[in-house]
Amino acid sequence: MMNISHLYQPRTSVQAHCSTAGETYFINLRFLLIICVVIGNMLEPVIRHSDVAHGIFLWIFSFHMPLFVLVTGYFARSNLYGPTGLKILRTILLQYILFQSIYSLLDFTVFRVQGITHSFFAPYLLLWFLAGHMLWRVMLIMMRQLSFTRQIILSVVLGLLVGSLPVDGVWLALSRTLIYFPFFIIGYHFGFERFAAWFRSYRQLLAAGLSIMLLAGFILADGSLNTGWFYGNQTFMQLGVDLWHGLVGRLAMYILQLIASLAFLAFVPWGSHYITGLGRRTLYVFLLHGLLVRTMEASGMFGHISSTTGVMLLILLAILITLLLAQPAVRRWTHYWVEPELPRYIRLKFRHAQRRYSFLR
């Protein structure tokens, strides 16, 4: 097996701020990933009618969430602790409460979507990432005395065993949160300079070819692969497998996700680029694009798309939506909602909690 341990920084340097080159690279990656998120969410309603859409969908899901979690962990290294870390936690919590309410209310009153549990304990579709982000931060703070190796081993064990729980995986986003937790830890400890020196060579070309081969393989699979494994929100019981096959299947998914993620990195620009500025506003794309996708789904437009040409046009539309929502004007208009601030009284309560509980310091 290829040894990649040299790509991770020693724990003593983890809490240093992200290097300029690393920050630029991961911002570029973040924008490419949010494009994939929007494409994936727009393709999902048509994957039953198109093998091409199904293959592209699975290709995206093989890397986009692991890498998004990794990027989130990378940027958390400079703001996990202290007042800044606590402020980020309460901002994420407020975002979750606000958008969980908005999406649930619209589903109930406007879109009339059936089969969705509306509860603050069952994150709404894409909002699981906010719930997961809060838990990843808290769990990593609680594991801060452990070495990187022990953190990874423990997180992988949790990711494997969560599938055996006799509960629906959507509650508290527990399934996805624990399954993707190892990628948050990898991102937090990631050493960009060592990675760049190792990757910027023939390995990058090989990775690009591998990613294209994976895409072709998913398309040629003719929709025979179970998408439930790629979502990460289902238990072994929901996937229809016993404990042994579930553990093997989840471990195989970890291997596939690591390979697919490393392969996709071949397409990320290294230096400052046009997409770098857009990548600083991916939060707005993430939280707002669901409203547009729900509107299009309610209009019935996805039901008319089955041809390869239609799928390509849908992907182009997803890219345009991403570019639109990442514009500075959208940030100015929606800043109050997307990056809300708690009332002063509640902020004081958070500060009191920080003084009382040492793990928040």
Side-chain angles (χ1 to χ4, degrees):
M1 178 178 288
M2 179 175 59
N3 182 8
I4 59 173
S5 61
H6 61 285
L7 300 183
Y8 304 99
Q9 290 181 332
R11 190 172 179 271
T12 54
S13 62
V14 160
Q15 295 181 27
H17 290 315
C18 310
S19 67
T20 301
E23 180 179 350
T24 300
Y25 181 84
F26 279 104
I27 288 174
N28 292 340
L29 171 59
R30 192 165 61 188
F31 183 73
L32 295 183
L33 291 175
I34 198 62
I35 288 178
C36 291
V37 169
V38 179
I39 291 175
N41 288 337
M42 291 186 66
L43 287 181
E44 187 172 13
V46 305
I47 59 176
R48 298 179 185 87
H49 314 299
S50 169
D51 289 340
V52 173
H54 191 265
I56 297 174
F57 179 82
L58 292 184
W59 176 70
I60 288 174
F61 267 72
S62 68
F63 64 80
H64 85 306
M65 277 299 108
L67 281 179
F68 229 131
V69 177
L70 187 147
V71 171
T72 304
Y74 182 81
F75 284 111
R77 64 201 303 166
S78 61
N79 54 36
L80 188 65
Y81 301 99
T84 303
L86 189 60
K87 180 180 180 181
I88 290 175
L89 276 177
R90 68 181 186 231
T91 299
I92 297 171
L93 176 61
L94 194 55
Q95 288 168 340
Y96 175 76
I97 293 174
L98 178 61
F99 279 90
Q100 180 81 357
S101 302
I102 291 174
Y103 276 108
S104 296
L105 182 62
L106 289 176
D107 265 7
F108 186 75
T109 60
V110 179
F111 302 128
R112 304 288 183 177
V113 178
Q114 303 296 321
I116 293 183
T117 302
H118 297 290
S119 168
F120 284 111
F121 299 102
Y124 181 91
L125 300 179
L126 55 85
L127 297 182
W128 76 267
F129 195 89
L130 295 179
H133 190 183
M134 287 187 288
L135 291 175
W136 294 325
R137 283 176 166 268
V138 173
M139 287 190 294
L140 190 53
I141 290 173
M142 296 175 68
M143 294 167 59
R144 61 183 171 181
Q145 300 301 324
L146 301 179
S147 66
F148 166 71
T149 302
R150 291 182 178 180
Q151 288 176 358
I152 281 293
I153 292 174
L154 179 57
S155 64
V156 170
V157 169
L158 291 174
L160 292 173
L161 294 181
V162 69
S164 64
L165 295 179
V167 295
D168 193 316
V170 303
W171 291 107
L172 297 175
L174 189 61
S175 182
R176 280 173 166 168
T177 296
L178 293 182
I179 285 173
Y180 290 117
F181 186 38
F183 295 98
F184 187 83
I185 294 175
I186 291 173
Y188 185 79
H189 292 271
F190 199 85
F192 174 76
E193 290 76 13
R194 296 180 180 181
F195 163 75
W198 178 82
F199 196 60
R200 293 182 75 168
S201 60
Y202 68 93
R203 295 185 181 92
Q204 186 171 358
L205 293 176
L206 291 176
L210 177 59
S211 186
I212 294 172
M213 290 174 59
L214 286 172
L215 173 59
F218 284 128
I219 293 176
L220 293 175
D222 295 330
S224 59
L225 297 176
N226 185 352
T227 57
W229 287 101
F230 291 81
Y231 286 125
N233 63 348
Q234 298 180 18
T235 63
F236 298 152
M237 180 175 60
Q238 291 173 304
L239 290 168
V241 297
D242 58 28
L243 176 61
W244 170 248
H245 288 91
L247 292 175
V248 173
R250 178 53 57 198
L251 188 60
M253 281 301 303
Y254 272 137
I255 296 173
L256 172 62
Q257 288 169 335
L258 283 171
I259 294 173
S261 297
L262 184 61
F264 181 78
L265 293 179
F267 304 116
V268 183
W270 290 97
S272 184
H273 194 275
Y274 168 70
I275 67 173
T276 307
L278 300 175
R280 300 182 187 278
R281 296 182 289 274
T282 53
L283 178 63
Y284 292 79
V285 183
F286 177 75
L287 291 177
L288 298 175
H289 83 276
L291 298 174
L292 298 178
V293 175
R294 266 288 185 253
T295 301
M296 288 184 284
E297 192 170 9
S299 71
M301 66 169 286
F302 294 127
H304 302 287
I305 299 175
S306 59
S307 66
T308 301
T309 301
V311 171
M312 294 300 108
L313 291 175
L314 195 60
I315 291 174
L316 178 60
L317 178 59
I319 295 173
L320 292 176
I321 288 175
T322 306
L323 292 172
L324 173 66
L325 294 179
Q327 296 303 311
V330 175
R331 182 175 189 172
R332 289 196 301 270
W333 298 334
T334 62
H335 176 79
Y336 179 80
W337 298 97
V338 175
E339 298 183 82
E341 183 56 82
L342 289 171
R344 184 173 181 274
Y345 171 77
I346 300 180
R347 292 203 304 271
L348 292 175
K349 288 293 184 181
F350 269 97
R351 291 172 186 171
H352 174 72
Q354 183 186 16
R355 290 192 297 267
R356 183 174 181 180
Y357 301 107
S358 59
F359 73 91
L360 292 175
R361 296 172 188 168

